[in-house]
Structure formats: structure tokens, C-alpha cells
Amino acid sequence: MGERSVQRRTGQQARAQRDVTQVAGDMHVYPTPVPSPSVQWPVWVGDVPRLAAAFQPRTAIRDHADGARREGRDVVLSGAGGVGKSQLAASLARQLRDQEHTTDAGLDVLLWARATGPDQIITAYAEAAG
């Protein structure tokens, strides 16, 4: 894709997202950020989807993920489409969120990003950073 096409697409995305105002051609005016109130911890960004009626808890995998988290390690769920990765991730996210309400789970940020495209992931992380 040529540079002009990328610029045009970026401009179209910016207008669609209402984060800039197009003045003329390639010139844009960025609005002054609005001061936000102090941060309330933990920060939750994105909507964790509801679990399907036929959700399978996959206890062994869940226990493995919980153990890795307690040890401070990262967890990556991978597999073919339709095996329940998103549902298991949503279940784990809800568990962390609910623990934070009842105990000190050590949760600073809970971020749920739809990963159907890079733009959605970047936007979710930018929103969390803001």
C-alpha cells in the first residue's frame, strides 16, 4: 500500500474515532486533553464478555493458569479457533475482578481487548494508559 493510501486511511480512522479534527488536507488540530479525576485502582478497561451457557470450566487448565499467576509468571492461552480460549480468559478475568472486590488480589489493571485487529489492541492499551 502506498504512503498516500496509508495517510488517507489513517485520516479516515482518526475522523471516525473523533480524536482529531481535520482542518484542511493533511493538517489536523488535536484537542487539548481534558484533565481526568485521580485514578481509582484497580483500573478496568474493556468489557469482559459474559460466559456462554455451555461454558466448560476446564479445571486443570484453570489451576495451571492460577499457579503460574501466583508465581508471577505470564499465561498465554493458545489453540485452534473455537476451543474456548476466549471463554476461559473471560472466566479468569472475572475471577480476578471478583477477588479484587473481596480481598487484596494485587490487581492494578484489568484490560480486556478484542483482538480481531491490531488497532483494537492498541486502542485498549492506550485507553488503559490514559
Side-chain angles (χ1 to χ4, degrees), residues 29 32 38 66 111:
V29 175
T32 305
S38 63
D66 286 341
L111 175 91

Side-chain angles (χ1 to χ4, degrees), residues 1-87:
M1 196 180 320
E3 183 179 340
R4 194 144 189 66
S5 296
V6 171
Q7 288 175 344
R8 188 176 323 116
R9 191 182 77 204
T10 302
Q12 290 169 346
Q13 289 173 345
R15 282 192 304 277
Q17 295 172 3
R18 294 190 175 134
D19 58 353
V20 296
T21 303
Q22 185 166 5
V23 176
D26 291 335
M27 179 190 273
H28 296 86
V29 175
Y30 294 82
T32 305
V34 177
S36 61
S38 63
V39 175
Q40 299 286 326
W41 298 99
V43 174
W44 297 339
V45 178
D47 295 321
V48 177
R50 294 179 185 255
L51 297 180
F55 171 67
Q56 300 295 314
R58 303 179 190 261
T59 307
I61 296 171
R62 181 187 206 95
D63 290 346
H64 188 71
D66 286 341
R69 185 180 171 278
R70 279 191 299 275
E71 295 171 6
R73 296 185 296 143
D74 295 330
V75 176
V76 176
L77 301 174
S78 64
V83 298
K85 298 178 298 294
S86 294
Q87 285 288 300

Side-chain angles (χ1 to χ4, degrees), residues 61-116:
I61 296 171
R62 181 187 206 95
D63 290 346
H64 188 71
D66 286 341
R69 185 180 171 278
R70 279 191 299 275
E71 295 171 6
R73 296 185 296 143
D74 295 330
V75 176
V76 176
L77 301 174
S78 64
V83 298
K85 298 178 298 294
S86 294
Q87 285 288 300
L88 181 57
S91 174
L92 292 168
R94 286 178 179 279
Q95 175 187 338
L96 284 172
R97 184 194 64 194
D98 294 346
Q99 280 178 349
E100 190 62 36
H101 282 303
T102 59
T103 63
D104 183 17
L107 181 66
D108 291 327
V109 177
L110 176 74
L111 175 91
W112 186 270
R114 295 188 53 81
T116 55

